[in-house]
Amino acid sequence: MLPEPVPAPVTPTRYSSQKGEGHGASTRLASFADGLGLSNDAVALPSVAEIWSWLAEVPDPEIPVISLVDLGIIRDVAWDGDVLEVTVTPTYSGCPATTVINFDIDRHLRERGIGKLRLKRQLSPAWTTVWISAEGRAKLSAYGIAPPNEATVSCAGALQPRDVACPRCGSAKTERVSQFGSTPCKAHFRCTECLEPFDYFKSI
Amino acid sequence: MSTAAAASPDVAEFALRMGDTCLILGHRNAEWCGHSPALEEDIALANTALDLIGQTQLWLGLTAEAQGKGRTADDLAYLRDSSGYRNLLLVEQPNGDFGRTIMRQFLFDAWHLPMLKVLAGSKDRRIAEIAEKVSKEVTYHLERSSDLVVRLGDGNSESHARMQAALDFLWPYTGEMFLGDAVDEALSSTGIAPAPGSLRPAWNEKVARTLADATLKAPESSYAQKGGRSGVHSEHLGLILAEMQFLQRAYPGANW
């Protein structure tokens, strides 16, 4: 699972502060780094781009073929001094996966050595399926879930997508069985050509 | 946000009303889990319940924050008696048959969505953010409940009769949604929440159109049962709370 060597214990952090304010803390960190055989120069906070790549390894707990980054719920990653702040937006208010997602982010980043981490919930702008990446859409389709049809998202027909293709046979001859499927984010469809039932990821 | 501090007790009360209404309706819908007439409806009711309970967490979380007494949304849900609850009487009414449950959902959704649309422009940023988020989910609720009201009302004689009976039973509980008090007045004058009466035209229009499609007839009476906002509830709420709160009351602080 881990491409890197097992990281150091997470408290105190093995990364020193980029801003470097507070000499006491720096000294403690320096001696800690020395204990690990690292010089103070060798340790820097991982870049934001690196953190994004780590987050892209965290699967959605309900639909594990796509990552949290594919899903578009990670809204920001930023360093506040030596504290990493990850901004996450919920998909649906009541989605039970939200708690698990926060837990997974926390665990995954701590395994990568991030000791000081703050998760921030952001409600606005509200999550929309427009934020699901092209890669995420392809993965959903390959997994058997028809990706959201954004063509109708902003018009009155948003709730009745017209062109949902069967993720199995590709036929456009499909019909909605129920507006709610196995999770709040999905509707239940049926292909009238190959007769297979399938999930459709609703536009929201 | 400088104005929000002064308005906090009213904001706390408003969020409490929204949260309690979502919680009790969510609980009522959840009672259907495993009992619905069709698997798809079972799933849909459970999903709707899930949305409502998620929305409850947002609203009661705001109440807790605006009260500033160190309480949590869970404390508010599990550790208040019925006289402390501020939900609409409509949502605590027993489920009855599937038709009544769907009719209750429709009458509520037709109010809920216009309310959220106005709240999305609230001067209180926290309220506006919750409303923006939640209105997306509620759009789906209203689409489903109005669709089912039409299909059952304009179905066969049995389903029609049941939907008409449901409407007659629930009608007196709808007026409460449009009654205002001093809290509403304070919030509407500061642009934080709409005056309840201002939501009436949108609701009337949606309900009239849907009932016409469903071949159902709204009762003539405009008598409104009221009391939910002042903590005067029907006997049904106590029974809901007895079930919902049992664990936290019997084993305070239980966690898993």
Side-chain angles (χ1 to χ4, degrees), chain A residues 31-87:
Chain A
S31 63
F32 183 70
D34 287 341
L36 295 170
L38 301 167
S39 82
N40 203 20
D41 296 342
V43 288
L45 295 169
S47 70
V48 164
E50 192 165 17
I51 309 267
W52 275 104
S53 74
W54 292 344
L55 289 169
E57 298 162 357
V58 184
D60 175 77
E62 293 270 7
I63 311 170
V65 290
I66 62 171
S67 77
L68 301 183
V69 174
D70 286 330
L71 196 57
I73 60 169
I74 311 284
R75 303 315 300 159
D76 195 27
V77 173
W79 287 103
D80 175 16
D82 62 346
V83 178
L84 182 69
E85 186 173 87
V86 178
T87 305

Side-chain angles (χ1 to χ4, degrees), chain B residues 7 10-11 13-15 17-18 59 114-116 118-124 127-128 183-199 229:
Chain B
D10 287 339
V11 167
E13 177 68 16
F14 179 77
R17 292 170 178 182
M18 294 297 289
W59 287 121
M115 167 64 107
L116 292 167
V118 178
L119 291 179
S122 171
K123 290 260 168 58
D124 188 297
I127 289 179
V183 172
D184 295 302
E185 202 167 310
L187 292 173
S188 65
S189 67
T190 48
I192 291 174
S198 68
L199 301 171
R229 305 176 144 200

